[in-house]
Amino acid sequence: MRVFIALELPEPFVDDLAAVARQLAVHVAGRYMKRDTYHVTLAFLGEIDEGTLRAALDAVDEACAGAGPIPLRASGLGRFGAPSDATLWLGLDPVGELTRLAEGVRERLGSHGVPFDKKAFRPHITLARRARIAGRPLPALAFPCPGEASRVTVFRSILDSSGATYKPLYTVELA
C-alpha cells in the first residue's frame, strides 16, 4: 500500500485554503486539489507492507508523544516544476514546533527501519497539480488566518485516473 504521514489541518484553515484556491483558479489553470486532501506531509513512505506499516505506527506514536498543537502560518505561494506543468502550493512558516515534529517523525521512522523519502522537509500544502503559471503577476490573495493543527495521521493514498484518494489508517491527537 502507498502510505504517507501528515499533519491534518483544522477546518477554519481548510475553509480559507479553499477560498485561496478558488481565487487562484480564475488566474491559473490546473487540476486543483479537493479540500478534503489538504494536509502537510511530514514523511512520504511510498509502497510498504503490513509489517512496515506496524513499525511506522509505532514511530508515529513515539514522535508525537508529548507534542502539543502545531502553529500554522501561511508564508506565500510556491511551485515545484516548470511554469507550464507545476505543482502549486501554499507554504507555511517552518516554526520550531512544526520542524521538530517532522524531524521527530523521520528520526523515529529511521530508528524503526521504515524507509521514507529523505527529501528535505519543506512545509507546504498542495493546491494544484499540472498548473500552468503565466508570467503575469497574480492578484492579491487573502491567505489563511493563522491556526493550530492537532492531528497527525497515517494515510493510505489510492491512485486512480481521477487523482488520489486518501484513507486515514491511524491518527494521533497532539495534546
Side-chain angles (χ1 to χ4, degrees), residues 16-64:
D16 289 350
L17 278 172
V20 169
R22 283 191 302 275
Q23 293 173 47
L24 283 169
V26 172
H27 303 280
V28 177
R31 186 170 51 92
Y32 282 81
M33 307 303 289
K34 297 175 204 161
R35 63 181 284 126
D36 63 348
T37 64
Y38 295 152
H39 65 272
V40 179
T41 301
L42 301 173
F44 179 75
L45 283 57
E47 292 289 334
I48 62 171
D49 61 25
E50 289 290 332
T52 304
L53 175 61
R54 283 190 292 280
L57 300 183
D58 289 342
V60 168
D61 278 338
E62 292 169 15
C64 293

Side-chain angles (χ1 to χ4, degrees), residues 67-116:
I70 306 298
L72 302 171
R73 286 190 293 278
S75 63
L77 295 174
R79 69 172 168 87
F80 299 127
S84 61
D85 184 18
T87 297
L88 180 63
W89 47 263
L90 178 78
L92 297 174
D93 285 340
V95 295
E97 296 94 334
L98 178 54
T99 301
R100 279 192 298 280
L101 179 63
E103 289 172 352
V105 165
R106 291 163 175 235
E107 178 183 303
R108 298 312 308 155
L109 288 169
S111 72
H112 283 271
V114 176
F116 62 94

Side-chain angles (χ1 to χ4, degrees), residues 114-154:
V114 176
F116 62 94
D117 185 340
K118 301 225 179 5
K119 286 183 192 139
F121 176 64
R122 179 184 275 176
H124 69 279
I125 302 149
T126 300
L127 298 175
R129 297 192 188 282
R130 307 202 57 88
R132 291 174 296 288
I133 302 168
R136 64 184 187 279
L138 293 172
L141 299 169
F143 288 143
C145 293
E148 283 188 336
S150 59
R151 294 169 57 104
V152 172
T153 299
V154 178

